[in-house]
Amino acid sequence: MTIPASTSPPVVRPALDSIPAYKAGKPAAVGAQTSYKLSSNENPYPPLPSVVEQVAAAAAGLNRYPDMSVASLHAALADKVGVEVAQIATGAGSVAVLYHLLQALCTEGDEVVYAWRSFEAYPIAVGLTGAHSLQVPLTAGARHDLSAMVDAITEATKAVVVCSPNNPTGPAVHRDELVELVESVPQHVVVVIDEAYREFVTDPDSVDGLELARGRDNVVVLRTFSKAYGLAGLRVGYAVAPITLAEAIRKCALPFGVSQLAQAAALASLAAEAELFERVEALVIERERVVAALQDQGWDVPSAQGNFVWMPLGAEALSFAEACDAAGVSVRPFQGDGVRVSIGEPAANDIFLEVARRFGSA
Ligand SMILES: *Cc1c(COP(=O)(O)O)cnc(C)c1O
């Protein structure tokens, strides 16, 4: 076969043209004044000594590939959540697991429904498959509009992604409304419940994705070690899924994508849950302190169920973020919409509250 001579440059898939670049949270400023990073929803606590010890031990084997089957961690997770091992799939963060799942489900011409504004990784994950994002606006209280999401489903819809609590606005989805959504969607449509912040939720009406997923063959729950477990730097997250979907996710995964350090850290963290969840409790108390202080200042903030609060600043989002920067805390602005502020060390939260007070809620 002869290939005609060509002088044109390589061409990437047109689907990539519409994909926004992921914008990482701004690092804390380096300078004379102490500064804090409240822009990436990270856990402000350093890793536990017991976790660091296991990571250091695993480092001695870095000349070897990791356990590709992630056997010990999958077994520990299956045990923790009470499912079969075959229902677990892991990846380099739950964002990677979502990429793999969507890659398994979608191609050009398909649709994925999710709320907007929500997690900024969704348009990228969907766009990379060639599928179309159908974004359903949040309600006035910055909550998912689940009935509008059901109405948005078409014959092309392959998945509905529900983010609970919603990043960046904070409210958790309620059990009754999500049951209704799951029971209204066609059975072949996969409902993905992204519960990256589940451990921080205190709203008694909120859904527990794992409970809802039990016995259903089109519900996938995503969870991560990055937030409550404080392992953002090691990249490990997981799906609890029906067996066929868990298998599909594992097929799409990058080989050896979860490092042995990450596997060791995740296992050690599961063993240290009691200690880690005390920190989560302290962060929740700190979150409630911050929310109450904002309300005292006159701010109308939506229900905050993650480790962050949402300031609905509209056109003033960028100038508020600049004021925070100048005071020594970096936050995450979304131009024209609002600012997401992670709950960090009390000293950092106090700086943010002082900026909010000076900025004024009027
Ligand atoms: C942080 C986050 C994740 C998980 O991120 P990984 O670090 O990739 O595990 C997933 N979903 C949402 C909504 C998040 O905010």
Side-chain angles (χ1 to χ4, degrees):
M1 184 174 135
T2 345
I3 300 168
S6 161
T7 53
S8 54
V11 179
V12 301
R13 290 160 52 221
L16 271 66
D17 295 341
S18 59
I19 294 175
Y22 189 95
K23 198 162 172 264
K26 205 174 162 183
V30 190
Q33 137 183 281
T34 310
S35 65
Y36 298 93
K37 185 179 176 199
L38 301 180
S39 56
S40 292
N41 291 351
E42 292 154 338
N43 194 315
Y45 291 96
L48 290 173
S50 62
V51 173
V52 172
E53 198 178 296
Q54 290 304 309
V55 171
L62 283 178
N63 54 313
R64 307 289 177 192
Y65 282 108
D67 170 12
M68 182 157 155
S69 65
V70 198
S72 312
L73 180 57
H74 283 198
L77 286 169
D79 190 47
K80 168 185 157 67
V81 303
V83 298
E84 289 180 51
V85 176
Q87 290 181 257
I88 304 288
T90 42
S94 63
V95 169
V97 181
L98 178 66
Y99 274 42
H100 301 147
L101 173 63
L102 292 179
Q103 202 183 335
L105 293 172
C106 302
T107 184
E108 316 273 336
D110 293 337
E111 282 175 2
V112 177
V113 174
Y114 54 89
W116 200 253
R117 179 173 295 280
S118 188
F119 188 27
E120 62 193 314
Y122 298 158
I124 304 171
V126 172
L128 285 174
T129 70
H132 175 69
S133 280
L134 229 157
Q135 302 181 331
V136 177
L138 297 172
T139 67
R143 313 185 65 90
H144 279 49
D145 187 341
L146 292 175
S147 60
M149 289 172 74
V150 172
D151 291 344
I153 292 171
T154 71
E155 296 211 322
T157 306
K158 291 291 158 67
V160 177
V161 183
V162 174
C163 187
S164 179
N166 189 47
N167 175 5
T169 61
V173 167
H174 288 171
R175 186 185 308 109
D176 51 354
E177 50 181 3
L178 192 55
V179 166
E180 197 172 318
L181 175 135
V182 168
E183 287 175 356
S184 322
V185 304
Q187 284 301 291
H188 67 270
V189 171
V190 175
V191 178
V192 184
I193 312 175
D194 182 347
E195 294 193 318
Y197 304 94
R198 170 69 208 170
E199 297 83 358
F200 298 99
V201 173
T202 51
D203 179 349
D205 297 325
S206 68
V207 70
D208 176 342
L210 290 172
E211 186 190 306
L212 185 122
R214 218 169 287 284
R216 298 185 196 268
D217 55 18
N218 64 331
V219 178
V220 175
V221 177
L222 300 179
R223 293 200 175 173
T224 180
F225 285 92
S226 296
K227 311 285 165 52
Y229 293 84
L231 293 180
L234 274 174
R235 316 301 301 121
V236 53
Y238 61 100
V240 180
I243 290 175
T244 48
L245 290 176
E247 217 166 57
I249 294 170
R250 292 193 297 266
K251 275 189 189 174
C252 295
L254 187 74
F256 308 110
V258 182
S259 75
Q260 204 63 39
L261 273 57
Q263 294 184 36
L267 274 169
S269 298
L270 290 176
E273 263 187 357
E275 214 174 330
L276 288 169
F277 288 177
E278 278 173 25
R279 295 170 160 197
V280 168
E281 229 169 276
L283 287 167
V284 167
I285 290 169
E286 186 61 9
R287 175 188 77 199
E288 298 308 313
R289 178 181 79 87
V290 168
V291 169
L294 290 170
Q295 284 166 343
D296 279 351
Q297 293 175 13
W299 292 94
D300 184 17
V301 291
S303 168
Q305 294 294 311
N307 62 343
F308 54 90
V309 293
W310 174 249
M311 305 285 283
L313 282 148
E316 293 183 295
L318 292 189
S319 53
F320 183 84
E322 278 164 24
C324 287
D325 266 340
V329 288
S330 63
V331 297
R332 181 70 172 90
F334 296 87
Q335 188 170 11
D337 202 350
V339 176
R340 189 193 67 197
V341 185
S342 311
I343 300 299
E345 303 83 343
N349 305 331
D350 284 342
I351 295 173
F352 153 60
L353 286 172
E354 178 54 21
V355 174
R357 192 190 59 75
R358 270 192 281 123
F359 204 85
S361 55

